[in-house]
Amino acid sequence: SQKIEQNSEALNIQEGKTATLTCNYTNYSPAYLQWYRQDPGRGPVFLLLIRENEKEKRKERLKVTFDTTLKQSLFHITASQPADSATYLCALDSDNYGQNFVFGPGTRLSVLP
Amino acid sequence: GAVVSQHPSRVICKSGTSVKIECRSLDFQATTMFWYRQFPKQSLMLMATSNEGSKATYEQGVEKDKFLINHASLTLSTLTVTSAHPEDSSFYICSARQPTEAQYFGPGTRLLVL
């Protein structure tokens, strides 16, 4: 069965450092991989989408890599700030209509001042 | 970016009543809308997928007669929790997408059934 793992349930880092979150998957061939941020009591907020033929994508302080051979995506937040503290979810999608959209369990990131 | 709204953001109701939650895509036409439920400290659980003008596809274990979904247009989907009971209390989140694009999520609706 499909399985998505995110490196750890919780991650603490010091302000200013780079946070690196990992998403690994098995038994899945995603066409797209997406990263979301979720704050307590709120719906997920879309951050970045990377397609299977893309290796890397950047947006401001965020960077996502996608390695379909390793079946892994890395999500980096550079120069992290306390405001970046949230739960980060990776999600896989394998078709054009979201029928196989699957969330990972999430990593709760805490950026300490 | 794409915006999805939900209404109401919070609802408290008595056991046995029905509650309707609206989900709207404000600045794009969504071919597909999704409904999720999230319990505290757990990941989102997909309840159903709906395409405009057709019946919703429910995930295993989700009662379609309990959770009625109407996808009336390309910008509106509604979820009605019928005869709600305390165990239905949860955080309900909708999302919307166009083909090959990301899913955009609403802010969620917190339902408390007394």
Side-chain angles (χ1 to χ4, degrees):
Chain A
S1 60
Q2 300 169 353
K3 190 173 181 181
I4 305 175
E5 294 178 329
Q6 292 190 236
N7 54 324
S8 56
E9 189 176 327
L11 180 65
N12 297 328
I13 64 165
Q14 211 64 38
E15 182 177 6
K17 300 291 185 185
T18 296
T20 298
L21 284 65
T22 305
C23 177
N24 294 293
Y25 59 92
T26 56
N27 298 324
Y28 201 105
S29 296
Y32 320 96
L33 189 146
Q34 301 161 51
W35 283 89
Y36 292 82
R37 167 186 174 139
Q38 187 175 25
D39 293 282
R42 304 290 294 171
V45 174
F46 170 71
L47 297 175
L48 281 168
L49 179 151
I50 188 165
R51 302 177 196 276
E52 60 178 334
N53 60 348
E54 298 175 317
K55 297 283 187 196
E56 181 180 298
K57 211 138 200 208
R58 293 174 185 260
K59 179 182 175 183
E60 298 172 351
R61 293 185 295 113
L62 308 180
K63 184 178 88 171
V64 171
T65 63
F66 192 12
D67 189 326
T68 56
T69 302
L70 291 178
K71 296 184 182 296
Q72 181 182 79
S73 174
L74 299 179
F75 177 77
H76 306 275
I77 306 175
T78 58
S80 59
Q81 305 165 0
D84 295 326
S85 299
T87 295
Y88 290 86
L89 304 161
C90 71
L92 307 180
D93 202 351
S94 65
D95 64 24
N96 292 335
Y97 298 96
Q99 303 297 323
N100 293 316
F101 186 89
V102 181
F103 268 115
T107 295
R108 190 172 64 254
L109 175 67
S110 296
V111 180
L112 307 173
Chain B
V3 179
V4 176
S5 70
Q6 272 184 249
H7 178 80
S9 58
R10 185 173 300 198
V11 59
I12 301 173
C13 68
K14 291 183 179 180
S15 186
T17 60
S18 294
V19 175
K20 180 186 282 190
I21 303 170
E22 287 189 354
C23 176
R24 292 181 187 271
S25 57
L26 298 185
D27 50 2
F28 67 103
Q29 292 188 326
T31 48
T32 308
M33 285 186 164
F34 305 84
W35 287 95
Y36 292 82
R37 181 166 53 181
Q38 187 175 34
F39 293 104
K41 297 188 178 180
Q42 292 187 24
S43 190
L44 288 85
M45 291 171 47
L46 179 64
M47 298 174 67
T49 302
S50 73
N51 294 294
E52 184 262 341
S54 62
K55 289 185 179 179
T57 302
Y58 290 81
E59 294 299 299
Q60 195 169 11
V62 178
E63 300 174 55
K64 62 180 181 180
D65 295 328
K66 173 87 174 163
F67 298 100
L68 299 178
I69 292 172
N70 182 16
H71 195 155
S73 73
L74 285 172
T75 59
L76 173 65
S77 177
T78 59
L79 168 69
T80 301
V81 183
T82 62
S83 186
H85 289 94
E87 58 266 29
D88 298 323
S89 298
S90 188
F91 190 51
Y92 292 87
I93 306 171
C94 73
S95 69
R97 66 166 285 175
Q98 297 170 299
T100 77
E101 297 296 327
Q103 284 197 29
Y104 293 93
F105 288 81
T109 297
R110 186 160 301 284
L111 171 64
L112 177 61
V113 184
L114 302 175

